[in-house]
Amino acid sequence: MSAPVTVSVTRHVDPSHTTQMLAWMQAGTSMAEKFDGFLGSGWVRPSADSADWHMLYRFADADSLAAWEASPQRAWWLEAAAGDVEEKRRERRTGIEGWFDEPASVELLSAAPSPPPRWKQMVTIFMVFLPLSLVANFVASQTIAGWPLVPRVVLVTTVMTPLMTYVFLPWITRRMSWWLHR
């Protein structure tokens, strides 16, 4: 048995066909739900008038996904939107995505933008981490200096981690994008 597989598809749709697109996606989801291993699906658009729709669907393993992708139901569903929907990009991922592990496998059917070099990522993180760490340690030395080391470090880390992840790293990444992606 393999790991769960998530498929991300970007489709281009004429914005005047939004109602038809919603019905088409609901029909596809209803059919996929009847297949063993289906774990869910969803979609998002960058804005209400965007022509790009980003769709995700997930199956428990590669065999379940293959059964859905080879099914006559899916073939009929895709044919129903032929001419109205243009697939621009498809990516298939397995493994734990995100900050910590590389995906076990990635299959791209179109080129994805390349991330900045790791040394630039490191410099950008350092630009935020150093001042935040200095401030956090200064505040801790003024307020909880008498605490034992482990609880003090746990508290400082518990405060710094969400600040870094949700506030300061997105902020510095936007400010430094000219350099990161040069």
Side-chain angles (χ1 to χ4, degrees):
M1 177 144 174
S2 66
V5 183
T6 301
V7 178
S8 168
V9 182
T10 300
R11 292 189 166 103
H12 182 83
V13 179
D14 182 337
S16 67
H17 294 144
T18 299
T19 303
Q20 297 94 318
M21 186 65 176
L22 289 169
W24 181 72
M25 286 189 312
Q26 289 169 346
T29 299
S30 294
M31 284 187 275
E33 286 174 340
K34 294 174 178 52
F35 281 76
D36 289 339
F38 179 75
L39 298 176
S41 66
W43 60 272
V44 67
R45 291 169 54 189
S47 66
D49 60 343
S50 174
D52 289 332
W53 294 62
H54 305 283
M55 302 171 191
L56 294 170
Y57 54 94
R58 188 167 173 85
F59 279 83
D61 54 56
D63 291 340
S64 299
L65 174 63
W68 161 247
E69 288 183 334
S71 72
Q73 294 93 326
R74 180 174 178 268
W76 174 86
W77 175 68
L78 290 172
E79 182 62 32
D84 294 326
V85 175
E86 174 193 352
E87 185 173 302
K88 292 173 61 177
R89 183 172 190 266
R90 173 181 296 270
E91 182 177 334
R92 185 178 301 189
R93 287 183 171 248
T94 58
I96 300 172
E97 270 69 59
W99 289 83
F100 305 106
D101 293 334
E102 290 295 319
S105 67
V106 174
E107 177 184 319
L108 283 176
L109 300 180
S110 62
S114 59
R118 294 191 68 74
W119 72 269
K120 285 187 175 185
Q121 294 176 42
M122 181 211 51
V123 168
T124 305
I125 291 168
F126 182 81
M127 289 171 61
V128 171
F129 183 77
L130 178 64
L132 182 60
S133 181
L134 288 170
V135 168
N137 282 293
F138 175 77
V139 170
S141 72
Q142 300 297 311
T143 58
I144 58 173
W147 285 25
L149 178 65
V150 172
R152 190 173 63 233
V153 170
V154 167
L155 179 63
V156 169
T157 305
T158 301
V159 170
M160 283 183 53
T161 301
L163 286 173
M164 285 287 294
T165 303
Y166 297 107
V167 178
F168 294 112
L169 283 178
W171 176 82
I172 195 70
T173 302
R174 283 190 305 272
R175 298 302 176 285
M176 298 299 292
S177 65
W178 63 271
W179 178 71
L180 286 166
H181 299 287
R182 183 173 8 172

